[in-house]
Amino acid sequence: MNDPDNPIVDMLTVRRDLYLVMSLLLADERVDEVQNVVVWTRVFHENEVRRLMLWVATAMRGLLDLLDREKDTFSKQNCGEYWATFPKDSEKPLALTFRQACNSVIHAKEILPYRTPKRDSIENVNRVYTNRITVRGTNQGKTTRAQLDIIKFVQIAYGLTKSFEEDRYANG
């Protein structure tokens, strides 16, 4: 029987998928150089990044919700930038917290595995894949935008998964 106080998420599976999404984003520049494979980028790459990010963000939010507030050193860590109202030229971006990044991905209208210019349509964007994911959504009727730094996100997520292993095996 499973212990109801422990997560049902397999930490190694989450780490594998964190590795995969980070690898997809960081390796794509080289893949893009292979002419016969370039068409796969938009078909497979973008869908796979979205799928992995949705799963990982959901798993991370579940783990955050299981933490005692005193032990939660992860929720407020910075992993990008967030605009509560977008576009708004006078608004400077806020720090994107890890919890907010997970929420943004879970409730996203669009997950774009590339950095997008402010005012261009997605169809006209020269897609350059970097370590950034653009997440567009809405919150209370306002358009929001988050720019998630995948390296920072993965580092925080790894620490979170590690904390559950340490708690589980600390007395055993």
Side-chain angles (χ1 to χ4, degrees), residues 7-40:
I8 61 170
V9 173
D10 178 55
M11 299 306 163
L12 289 176
T13 301
V14 173
R15 287 186 193 138
R16 178 203 63 206
D17 290 343
L18 286 164
Y19 171 79
L20 287 174
V21 75
M22 187 172 64
S23 296
L24 282 167
L25 292 170
L26 298 178
D28 193 67
E29 188 176 338
R30 289 295 310 262
V31 172
D32 208 35
E33 294 172 4
V34 182
Q35 290 301 315
N36 295 338
V37 179
V38 131
V39 72
W40 293 351

mmCIF file of all heavy atoms in Angstrom, residues 7-40:
data_model
loop_
_atom_site.group_PDB
_atom_site.id
_atom_site.type_symbol
_atom_site.label_atom_id
_atom_site.label_comp_id
_atom_site.label_asym_id
_atom_site.label_seq_id
_atom_site.Cartn_x
_atom_site.Cartn_y
_atom_site.Cartn_z
ATOM 1 N N PRO A 7 4.635 11.368 -2.336
ATOM 2 C CA PRO A 7 4.106 11.568 -3.685
ATOM 3 C C PRO A 7 4.077 10.260 -4.468
ATOM 4 O O PRO A 7 4.891 9.369 -4.243
ATOM 5 C CB PRO A 7 5.095 12.554 -4.308
ATOM 6 C CG PRO A 7 6.341 12.428 -3.513
ATOM 7 C CD PRO A 7 5.930 12.008 -2.132
ATOM 8 N N ILE A 8 3.149 10.181 -5.415
ATOM 9 C CA ILE A 8 3.080 8.996 -6.263
ATOM 10 C C ILE A 8 3.952 9.156 -7.508
ATOM 11 O O ILE A 8 4.067 8.250 -8.310
ATOM 12 C CB ILE A 8 1.621 8.688 -6.678
ATOM 13 C CG1 ILE A 8 1.020 9.850 -7.472
ATOM 14 C CG2 ILE A 8 0.787 8.333 -5.472
ATOM 15 C CD1 ILE A 8 -0.317 9.533 -8.115
ATOM 16 N N VAL A 9 4.581 10.301 -7.637
ATOM 17 C CA VAL A 9 5.438 10.599 -8.781
ATOM 18 C C VAL A 9 6.770 9.881 -8.612
ATOM 19 O O VAL A 9 7.394 9.952 -7.552
ATOM 20 C CB VAL A 9 5.669 12.127 -8.889
ATOM 21 C CG1 VAL A 9 6.677 12.459 -9.953
ATOM 22 C CG2 VAL A 9 4.357 12.843 -9.127
ATOM 23 N N ASP A 10 7.211 9.201 -9.656
ATOM 24 C CA ASP A 10 8.518 8.563 -9.657
ATOM 25 C C ASP A 10 9.572 9.634 -9.967
ATOM 26 O O ASP A 10 9.552 10.227 -11.050
ATOM 27 C CB ASP A 10 8.566 7.448 -10.698
ATOM 28 C CG ASP A 10 9.924 6.798 -10.752
ATOM 29 O OD1 ASP A 10 10.410 6.333 -9.702
ATOM 30 O OD2 ASP A 10 10.518 6.767 -11.850
ATOM 31 N N MET A 11 10.445 9.900 -9.025
ATOM 32 C CA MET A 11 11.408 10.999 -9.164
ATOM 33 C C MET A 11 12.377 10.780 -10.321
ATOM 34 O O MET A 11 12.761 11.733 -11.004
ATOM 35 C CB MET A 11 12.195 11.200 -7.865
ATOM 36 C CG MET A 11 11.342 11.554 -6.669
ATOM 37 S SD MET A 11 10.286 12.973 -6.965
ATOM 38 C CE MET A 11 9.124 12.773 -5.646
ATOM 39 N N LEU A 12 12.772 9.533 -10.584
ATOM 40 C CA LEU A 12 13.680 9.277 -11.705
ATOM 41 C C LEU A 12 13.014 9.573 -13.045
ATOM 42 O O LEU A 12 13.658 10.091 -13.961
ATOM 43 C CB LEU A 12 14.181 7.838 -11.666
ATOM 44 C CG LEU A 12 15.164 7.525 -10.540
ATOM 45 C CD1 LEU A 12 15.524 6.043 -10.545
ATOM 46 C CD2 LEU A 12 16.411 8.381 -10.649
ATOM 47 N N THR A 13 11.727 9.280 -13.160
ATOM 48 C CA THR A 13 10.995 9.584 -14.389
ATOM 49 C C THR A 13 10.913 11.087 -14.601
ATOM 50 O O THR A 13 11.102 11.583 -15.711
ATOM 51 C CB THR A 13 9.581 8.968 -14.349
ATOM 52 O OG1 THR A 13 9.708 7.558 -14.200
ATOM 53 C CG2 THR A 13 8.805 9.276 -15.597
ATOM 54 N N VAL A 14 10.641 11.813 -13.527
ATOM 55 C CA VAL A 14 10.584 13.278 -13.633
ATOM 56 C C VAL A 14 11.941 13.824 -14.043
ATOM 57 O O VAL A 14 12.036 14.674 -14.930
ATOM 58 C CB VAL A 14 10.124 13.918 -12.307
ATOM 59 C CG1 VAL A 14 10.237 15.428 -12.366
ATOM 60 C CG2 VAL A 14 8.706 13.517 -11.980
ATOM 61 N N ARG A 15 13.002 13.325 -13.435
ATOM 62 C CA ARG A 15 14.341 13.802 -13.776
ATOM 63 C C ARG A 15 14.695 13.482 -15.226
ATOM 64 O O ARG A 15 15.296 14.289 -15.929
ATOM 65 C CB ARG A 15 15.377 13.201 -12.845
ATOM 66 C CG ARG A 15 15.327 13.799 -11.479
ATOM 67 C CD ARG A 15 16.455 13.291 -10.622
ATOM 68 N NE ARG A 15 16.193 13.637 -9.252
ATOM 69 C CZ ARG A 15 16.389 12.825 -8.229
ATOM 70 N NH1 ARG A 15 16.879 11.626 -8.421
ATOM 71 N NH2 ARG A 15 16.106 13.226 -7.010
ATOM 72 N N ARG A 16 14.311 12.296 -15.685
ATOM 73 C CA ARG A 16 14.561 11.940 -17.083
ATOM 74 C C ARG A 16 13.874 12.946 -18.012
ATOM 75 O O ARG A 16 14.447 13.425 -18.984
ATOM 76 C CB ARG A 16 14.046 10.532 -17.384
ATOM 77 C CG ARG A 16 14.239 10.134 -18.858
ATOM 78 C CD ARG A 16 13.312 9.052 -19.319
ATOM 79 N NE ARG A 16 11.935 9.514 -19.243
ATOM 80 C CZ ARG A 16 10.895 8.705 -19.102
ATOM 81 N NH1 ARG A 16 11.057 7.414 -18.999
ATOM 82 N NH2 ARG A 16 9.665 9.194 -19.054
ATOM 83 N N ASP A 17 12.623 13.276 -17.693
ATOM 84 C CA ASP A 17 11.873 14.192 -18.553
ATOM 85 C C ASP A 17 12.388 15.626 -18.448
ATOM 86 O O ASP A 17 12.344 16.363 -19.430
ATOM 87 C CB ASP A 17 10.384 14.092 -18.251
ATOM 88 C CG ASP A 17 9.812 12.760 -18.728
ATOM 89 O OD1 ASP A 17 10.472 12.085 -19.550
ATOM 90 O OD2 ASP A 17 8.719 12.387 -18.289
ATOM 91 N N LEU A 18 12.887 16.022 -17.303
ATOM 92 C CA LEU A 18 13.551 17.319 -17.183
ATOM 93 C C LEU A 18 14.798 17.344 -18.075
ATOM 94 O O LEU A 18 15.061 18.318 -18.779
ATOM 95 C CB LEU A 18 13.944 17.599 -15.733
ATOM 96 C CG LEU A 18 12.810 17.959 -14.788
ATOM 97 C CD1 LEU A 18 13.264 17.831 -13.334
ATOM 98 C CD2 LEU A 18 12.308 19.368 -15.067
ATOM 99 N N TYR A 19 15.547 16.260 -18.045
ATOM 100 C CA TYR A 19 16.730 16.138 -18.894
ATOM 101 C C TYR A 19 16.346 16.209 -20.376
ATOM 102 O O TYR A 19 16.987 16.905 -21.161
ATOM 103 C CB TYR A 19 17.446 14.815 -18.598
ATOM 104 C CG TYR A 19 18.550 14.505 -19.567
ATOM 105 C CD1 TYR A 19 19.796 15.119 -19.449
ATOM 106 C CD2 TYR A 19 18.360 13.605 -20.606
ATOM 107 C CE1 TYR A 19 20.807 14.843 -20.349
ATOM 108 C CE2 TYR A 19 19.364 13.331 -21.509
ATOM 109 C CZ TYR A 19 20.587 13.941 -21.370
ATOM 110 O OH TYR A 19 21.587 13.677 -22.267
ATOM 111 N N LEU A 20 15.287 15.523 -20.749
ATOM 112 C CA LEU A 20 14.854 15.517 -22.144
ATOM 113 C C LEU A 20 14.441 16.905 -22.625
ATOM 114 O O LEU A 20 14.846 17.334 -23.704
ATOM 115 C CB LEU A 20 13.695 14.536 -22.340
ATOM 116 C CG LEU A 20 14.044 13.062 -22.295
ATOM 117 C CD1 LEU A 20 12.778 12.218 -22.350
ATOM 118 C CD2 LEU A 20 14.985 12.692 -23.423
ATOM 119 N N VAL A 21 13.633 17.595 -21.842
ATOM 120 C CA VAL A 21 13.178 18.917 -22.284
ATOM 121 C C VAL A 21 14.347 19.895 -22.358
ATOM 122 O O VAL A 21 14.453 20.687 -23.292
ATOM 123 C CB VAL A 21 12.006 19.449 -21.421
ATOM 124 C CG1 VAL A 21 12.454 19.918 -20.068
ATOM 125 C CG2 VAL A 21 11.267 20.563 -22.144
ATOM 126 N N MET A 22 15.258 19.821 -21.394
ATOM 127 C CA MET A 22 16.427 20.693 -21.431
ATOM 128 C C MET A 22 17.300 20.343 -22.638
ATOM 129 O O MET A 22 17.777 21.235 -23.352
ATOM 130 C CB MET A 22 17.232 20.571 -20.137
ATOM 131 C CG MET A 22 18.366 21.567 -20.049
ATOM 132 S SD MET A 22 19.188 21.597 -18.443
ATOM 133 C CE MET A 22 19.881 19.970 -18.365
ATOM 134 N N SER A 23 17.482 19.077 -22.911
ATOM 135 C CA SER A 23 18.274 18.643 -24.056
ATOM 136 C C SER A 23 17.647 19.094 -25.371
ATOM 137 O O SER A 23 18.346 19.532 -26.284
ATOM 138 C CB SER A 23 18.422 17.121 -24.065
ATOM 139 O OG SER A 23 19.137 16.694 -22.945
ATOM 140 N N LEU A 24 16.336 18.986 -25.467
ATOM 141 C CA LEU A 24 15.652 19.435 -26.683
ATOM 142 C C LEU A 24 15.902 20.916 -26.947
ATOM 143 O O LEU A 24 16.139 21.331 -28.072
ATOM 144 C CB LEU A 24 14.148 19.184 -26.567
ATOM 145 C CG LEU A 24 13.685 17.763 -26.804
ATOM 146 C CD1 LEU A 24 12.239 17.595 -26.354
ATOM 147 C CD2 LEU A 24 13.832 17.401 -28.275
ATOM 148 N N LEU A 25 15.828 21.707 -25.901
ATOM 149 C CA LEU A 25 15.991 23.147 -26.075
ATOM 150 C C LEU A 25 17.438 23.537 -26.348
ATOM 151 O O LEU A 25 17.707 24.405 -27.166
ATOM 152 C CB LEU A 25 15.466 23.888 -24.852
ATOM 153 C CG LEU A 25 13.956 23.809 -24.685
ATOM 154 C CD1 LEU A 25 13.545 24.340 -23.334
ATOM 155 C CD2 LEU A 25 13.248 24.565 -25.788
ATOM 156 N N LEU A 26 18.371 22.890 -25.694
ATOM 157 C CA LEU A 26 19.769 23.287 -25.838
ATOM 158 C C LEU A 26 20.445 22.668 -27.058
ATOM 159 O O LEU A 26 21.388 23.235 -27.591
ATOM 160 C CB LEU A 26 20.548 22.936 -24.568
ATOM 161 C CG LEU A 26 20.069 23.651 -23.304
ATOM 162 C CD1 LEU A 26 20.873 23.203 -22.098
ATOM 163 C CD2 LEU A 26 20.124 25.156 -23.463
ATOM 164 N N ALA A 27 19.957 21.529 -27.529
ATOM 165 C CA ALA A 27 20.587 20.849 -28.659
ATOM 166 C C ALA A 27 20.009 21.269 -29.998
ATOM 167 O O ALA A 27 20.570 20.964 -31.038
ATOM 168 C CB ALA A 27 20.447 19.339 -28.506
ATOM 169 N N ASP A 28 18.907 21.965 -30.008
ATOM 170 C CA ASP A 28 18.208 22.204 -31.255
ATOM 171 C C ASP A 28 18.990 23.056 -32.251
ATOM 172 O O ASP A 28 18.810 22.920 -33.446
ATOM 173 C CB ASP A 28 16.841 22.829 -31.006
ATOM 174 C CG ASP A 28 16.004 22.782 -32.264
ATOM 175 O OD1 ASP A 28 15.643 21.674 -32.677
ATOM 176 O OD2 ASP A 28 15.775 23.845 -32.851
ATOM 177 N N GLU A 29 19.853 23.912 -31.789
ATOM 178 C CA GLU A 29 20.615 24.743 -32.713
ATOM 179 C C GLU A 29 21.427 23.872 -33.665
ATOM 180 O O GLU A 29 21.489 24.130 -34.863
ATOM 181 C CB GLU A 29 21.526 25.687 -31.929
ATOM 182 C CG GLU A 29 22.205 26.709 -32.806
ATOM 183 C CD GLU A 29 23.013 27.696 -31.994
ATOM 184 O OE1 GLU A 29 22.735 27.850 -30.796
ATOM 185 O OE2 GLU A 29 23.923 28.301 -32.571
ATOM 186 N N ARG A 30 22.033 22.814 -33.162
ATOM 187 C CA ARG A 30 22.801 21.895 -34.008
ATOM 188 C C ARG A 30 21.882 21.084 -34.910
ATOM 189 O O ARG A 30 22.183 20.855 -36.071
ATOM 190 C CB ARG A 30 23.635 20.944 -33.143
ATOM 191 C CG ARG A 30 24.801 21.581 -32.441
ATOM 192 C CD ARG A 30 25.868 22.100 -33.409
ATOM 193 N NE ARG A 30 26.280 21.128 -34.400
ATOM 194 C CZ ARG A 30 27.355 20.372 -34.312
ATOM 195 N NH1 ARG A 30 28.147 20.467 -33.264
ATOM 196 N NH2 ARG A 30 27.668 19.527 -35.270
ATOM 197 N N VAL A 31 20.745 20.632 -34.391
ATOM 198 C CA VAL A 31 19.791 19.863 -35.184
ATOM 199 C C VAL A 31 19.299 20.703 -36.352
ATOM 200 O O VAL A 31 19.112 20.212 -37.464
ATOM 201 C CB VAL A 31 18.611 19.388 -34.308
ATOM 202 C CG1 VAL A 31 17.522 18.763 -35.150
ATOM 203 C CG2 VAL A 31 19.091 18.408 -33.248
ATOM 204 N N ASP A 32 19.118 21.984 -36.105
ATOM 205 C CA ASP A 32 18.617 22.905 -37.125
ATOM 206 C C ASP A 32 19.562 23.034 -38.323
ATOM 207 O O ASP A 32 19.162 23.448 -39.389
ATOM 208 C CB ASP A 32 18.365 24.281 -36.495
ATOM 209 C CG ASP A 32 17.273 25.042 -37.209
ATOM 210 O OD1 ASP A 32 16.315 24.400 -37.679
ATOM 211 O OD2 ASP A 32 17.385 26.264 -37.310
ATOM 212 N N GLU A 33 20.825 22.665 -38.137
ATOM 213 C CA GLU A 33 21.803 22.732 -39.217
ATOM 214 C C GLU A 33 21.659 21.576 -40.203
ATOM 215 O O GLU A 33 22.181 21.638 -41.307
ATOM 216 C CB GLU A 33 23.224 22.739 -38.638
ATOM 217 C CG GLU A 33 23.533 23.980 -37.835
ATOM 218 C CD GLU A 33 24.864 23.883 -37.104
ATOM 219 O OE1 GLU A 33 25.590 22.875 -37.276
ATOM 220 O OE2 GLU A 33 25.179 24.821 -36.359
ATOM 221 N N VAL A 34 20.992 20.508 -39.826
ATOM 222 C CA VAL A 34 20.832 19.341 -40.680
ATOM 223 C C VAL A 34 19.610 19.568 -41.572
ATOM 224 O O VAL A 34 18.468 19.487 -41.122
ATOM 225 C CB VAL A 34 20.659 18.045 -39.843
ATOM 226 C CG1 VAL A 34 20.552 16.838 -40.750
ATOM 227 C CG2 VAL A 34 21.804 17.903 -38.853
ATOM 228 N N GLN A 35 19.840 19.851 -42.826
ATOM 229 C CA GLN A 35 18.789 20.291 -43.739
ATOM 230 C C GLN A 35 17.614 19.322 -43.844
ATOM 231 O O GLN A 35 16.466 19.735 -43.840
ATOM 232 C CB GLN A 35 19.372 20.537 -45.132
ATOM 233 C CG GLN A 35 20.258 21.756 -45.189
ATOM 234 C CD GLN A 35 19.515 23.026 -44.782
ATOM 235 O OE1 GLN A 35 18.397 23.269 -45.194
ATOM 236 N NE2 GLN A 35 20.147 23.838 -43.955
ATOM 237 N N ASN A 36 17.848 18.043 -43.938
ATOM 238 C CA ASN A 36 16.757 17.082 -44.109
ATOM 239 C C ASN A 36 15.913 16.920 -42.849
ATOM 240 O O ASN A 36 14.812 16.387 -42.917
ATOM 241 C CB ASN A 36 17.304 15.717 -44.530
ATOM 242 C CG ASN A 36 17.960 15.764 -45.890
ATOM 243 O OD1 ASN A 36 17.684 16.658 -46.688
ATOM 244 N ND2 ASN A 36 18.850 14.820 -46.153
ATOM 245 N N VAL A 37 16.412 17.356 -41.733
ATOM 246 C CA VAL A 37 15.730 17.162 -40.458
ATOM 247 C C VAL A 37 14.997 18.421 -39.989
ATOM 248 O O VAL A 37 14.164 18.377 -39.107
ATOM 249 C CB VAL A 37 16.747 16.703 -39.378
ATOM 250 C CG1 VAL A 37 16.108 16.498 -38.040
ATOM 251 C CG2 VAL A 37 17.434 15.422 -39.832
ATOM 252 N N VAL A 38 15.293 19.553 -40.609
ATOM 253 C CA VAL A 38 14.738 20.840 -40.174
ATOM 254 C C VAL A 38 13.207 20.816 -40.079
ATOM 255 O O VAL A 38 12.632 21.379 -39.162
ATOM 256 C CB VAL A 38 15.253 21.961 -41.101
ATOM 257 C CG1 VAL A 38 14.188 22.863 -41.627
ATOM 258 C CG2 VAL A 38 16.291 22.772 -40.396
ATOM 259 N N VAL A 39 12.543 20.137 -40.982
ATOM 260 C CA VAL A 39 11.078 20.098 -40.957
ATOM 261 C C VAL A 39 10.549 19.407 -39.702
ATOM 262 O O VAL A 39 9.465 19.712 -39.228
ATOM 263 C CB VAL A 39 10.525 19.431 -42.249
ATOM 264 C CG1 VAL A 39 10.769 17.931 -42.251
ATOM 265 C CG2 VAL A 39 9.057 19.755 -42.426
ATOM 266 N N TRP A 40 11.324 18.520 -39.131
ATOM 267 C CA TRP A 40 10.895 17.830 -37.908
ATOM 268 C C TRP A 40 10.811 18.774 -36.724
ATOM 269 O O TRP A 40 10.061 18.541 -35.790
ATOM 270 C CB TRP A 40 11.863 16.713 -37.554
ATOM 271 C CG TRP A 40 11.897 15.575 -38.519
ATOM 272 C CD1 TRP A 40 11.055 15.346 -39.573
ATOM 273 C CD2 TRP A 40 12.828 14.505 -38.511
ATOM 274 N NE1 TRP A 40 11.420 14.201 -40.214
ATOM 275 C CE2 TRP A 40 12.508 13.658 -39.590
ATOM 276 C CE3 TRP A 40 13.911 14.187 -37.702
ATOM 277 C CZ2 TRP A 40 13.219 12.508 -39.869
ATOM 278 C CZ3 TRP A 40 14.621 13.039 -37.988
ATOM 279 C CH2 TRP A 40 14.274 12.209 -39.053
#
